[in-house]
Amino acid sequence: MKFFKHLKKISTAGLFGSALLLSACASDGLVRGTGDMGIVIERATGSVLVVDNTKDETITRVNGLGDLSHASAVYSRDARYAYVFGRDGGLSKVDILKGELVKRVIQGGNSIGGAISQDGKLVAVSNYEPGGVRVFDAKTLEMVADIPANDGSKTVGLADAPGNIFMVSLWDDGEIWKLDFSKGLTPAITKFKDIGTNPYDALISPDGRYYVAGLFGEDGLAKLDLWNEAKGVERILDHYGKGEQKLPVYKMPHLEGWAVAGDLMFLPAVGRHELLVLDKTTWKEVGRIPVHGQPIFAMAQPGGKYIWVNFSVPKNDTIQVIDVQQLKIIKTMKPGKGVLHMEFTPRGEKVWMSVRDENRVDIYRTDSFEKIGAIEATKPSGIFFTDRAHKIGL
């Protein structure tokens, strides 16, 4: 009997200690998962909102991230840390559980995006100034590699590929580079030259096999099969606008927002009021869809049934939804001026969209297209949920 009384005292003490530990952790903001969290870029104030996409609310604001006028973000493998790439060359590490800026380094003069390696240990940044790519330790943000690009060429379209590889395009030189960090911190560099004029952005397919660069200086795209590199770069959709009068390009479309649905791919046409539809098995054009304006993002709703499209100025108050089976627009919405970005919840039941000029983020159901909420945000732009931590190329 004494033994059981003693055991009861130990158990009670253990439970009390565990309660204290949990209480302490809760006070630090750590006792919760990160799977339904994310950040919203507040471009005008150098801040990000940490948000909850289950409760559709803001958790906190983190300040001090510099110029976020063209900012993007990636996540650590555990989805606790967001790495934010600022236009001023700043690389910021944000702890979204604690709502704190862990560290910020100015690694260049003008950067345009970044990526995180497959193993989560390296963060790479592409630069307009001084050009090239710089690579950092994800824990410390100490630079581990500085890779200049020819005579200071601007680098764009930086994406992660399987095997601790980064892919990047050179705007000035018309090249694609493969930066292989699989053997250590000194990358093996493979250069693919003469891919076309002025690659402006690029994407990598969700399976990590294809790297595709858009070409601003000419119609068409440059495709590289990473499973069969010996074949070199192949031109696809060559001269898709040949013989037609070109419209002024108000804003370059973001190829990283491309859409894959079933056997089809949807890409924004540069400077045109249409989406290009490709057969993903052949990379051949199989159709075009006229849309409201010059598309910026064409994004597939999880499940692949619908494609959501936003547009550049002066028609950036509109969202259109395309039915993949019918290849036609089924819904046109006007949330407000400056709809810059959309982000789906991981399973696609909701979509968040930043409405910059209205200083808010709107939240819609994707089955009924009903607006179900909004949060206040100062000049919001990019929205990045943590499920991106487990996807290639985002």
Side-chain angles (χ1 to χ4, degrees):
M1 183 65 70
K2 289 182 180 180
F3 171 78
F4 288 108
K5 287 182 179 180
H6 180 63
L7 181 61
K8 185 177 180 181
K9 288 180 181 179
I10 292 175
S11 299
T12 303
L15 288 171
F16 180 71
S18 297
L20 285 177
L21 178 62
L22 289 172
S23 176
C25 290
S27 68
D28 289 337
L30 297 180
V31 182
R32 65 154 297 158
T34 58
D36 60 354
M37 294 177 70
I39 62 171
V40 176
I41 303 294
E42 294 185 303
R43 58 184 290 148
T45 54
S47 54
V48 297
L49 297 180
V50 180
V51 297
D52 180 323
N53 61 44
T54 296
K55 297 180 179 178
D56 296 336
E57 65 184 19
T58 298
I59 299 171
T60 190
R61 173 180 280 113
V62 180
N63 296 302
L65 278 69
D67 182 356
L68 300 183
S69 59
H70 190 290
S72 60
V74 297
Y75 285 96
S76 58
R77 285 168 61 91
D78 60 4
R80 175 173 176 174
Y81 298 102
Y83 298 91
V84 181
F85 309 99
R87 194 58 187 262
D88 57 0
L91 168 60
S92 301
K93 183 178 181 179
V94 176
D95 185 333
I96 64 172
L97 282 179
K98 289 188 174 182
E100 295 177 356
L101 177 60
V102 177
K103 189 173 181 178
R104 182 169 185 263
V105 297
I106 300 296
Q107 58 79 46
N110 187 345
S111 59
I112 200 65
I116 190 165
S117 61
Q118 184 179 43
D119 63 7
K121 294 180 179 180
L122 301 174
V123 176
V125 189
S126 59
N127 289 300
Y128 277 9
E129 298 175 8
V133 175
R134 288 177 171 170
V135 183
F136 298 82
D137 182 289
K139 286 186 178 180
T140 65
L141 295 194
E142 297 296 324
M143 188 165 67
V144 297
D146 186 358
I147 306 164
N150 298 339
D151 296 322
S153 174
K154 299 179 183 69
T155 51
V156 297
L158 182 64
D160 59 284
N164 278 12
I165 290 167
F166 296 112
M167 303 298 303
V168 70
S169 295
L170 278 61
W171 162 271
D172 298 292
D173 298 323
E175 298 181 6
I176 291 173
W177 287 13
K178 173 186 174 184
L179 312 176
D180 186 346
F181 283 87
S182 62
K183 304 299 183 183
L185 298 180
T186 301
I189 302 175
T190 305
K191 301 178 181 180
F192 301 88
K193 300 186 177 183
D194 301 320
I195 68 164
T197 305
N198 296 138
Y200 65 87
D201 195 10
L203 58 87
I204 196 160
S205 59
D207 59 5
R209 176 173 179 175
Y210 298 102
Y211 180 80
V212 181
L215 303 174
F216 182 70
E218 54 192 283
D219 291 325
L221 300 99
K223 175 177 72 73
L224 176 64
D225 183 348
L226 298 178
W227 294 4
N228 298 284
E229 293 178 21
K231 293 182 179 179
V233 174
E234 176 188 358
R235 180 67 61 87
I236 59 174
L237 298 180
D238 198 16
H239 304 300
Y240 66 80
K242 188 176 181 180
E244 300 176 24
Q245 182 179 2
K246 292 188 177 182
L247 298 171
V249 179
Y250 295 112
K251 182 174 174 59
M252 298 304 297
H254 287 265
L255 290 186
E256 289 183 357
W258 75 323
V260 178
D263 292 329
L264 299 177
M265 299 182 291
F266 298 80
L267 298 174
V270 177
R272 301 187 178 279
H273 295 183
E274 59 189 14
L275 291 185
L276 306 179
V277 185
L278 284 67
D279 183 321
K280 76 175 186 181
T281 61
T282 64
W283 293 86
K284 302 294 185 183
E285 180 183 336
V286 294
R288 302 188 189 188
I289 303 173
V291 290
H292 170 74
Q294 293 182 13
I296 300 299
F297 285 101
M299 302 182 70
Q301 178 180 322
K305 187 176 181 180
Y306 300 119
I307 306 298
W308 295 60
V309 187
N310 70 335
F311 303 95
S312 71
V313 292
K315 297 184 176 183
N316 62 1
D317 63 343
T318 301
I319 295 288
Q320 290 189 312
V321 183
I322 294 168
D323 184 288
V324 170
Q325 295 182 91
Q326 302 178 62
L327 294 183
K328 72 176 186 179
I329 296 164
I330 60 167
K331 184 72 175 179
T332 297
M333 309 154 69
K334 292 190 177 291
K337 282 192 173 182
V339 183
L340 298 189
H341 195 261
M342 298 167 287
E343 185 82 337
F344 295 99
T345 50
R347 296 199 178 201
E349 76 283 358
K350 291 181 288 189
V351 61
W352 288 38
M353 56 184 72
S354 59
V355 190
R356 179 196 60 197
D357 297 350
E358 310 284 347
N359 289 311
R360 70 174 191 270
V361 174
D362 287 349
I363 304 164
Y364 288 80
R365 289 185 60 91
T366 54
D367 56 357
S368 64
F369 308 116
E370 173 192 4
K371 182 179 175 180
I372 57 173
I375 63 172
E376 294 182 1
T378 305
K379 302 299 180 188
S381 54
I383 306 169
F384 304 95
F385 292 155
T386 55
D387 61 308
R388 288 171 169 260
H390 312 299
K391 296 178 181 178
I392 295 171
L394 292 180

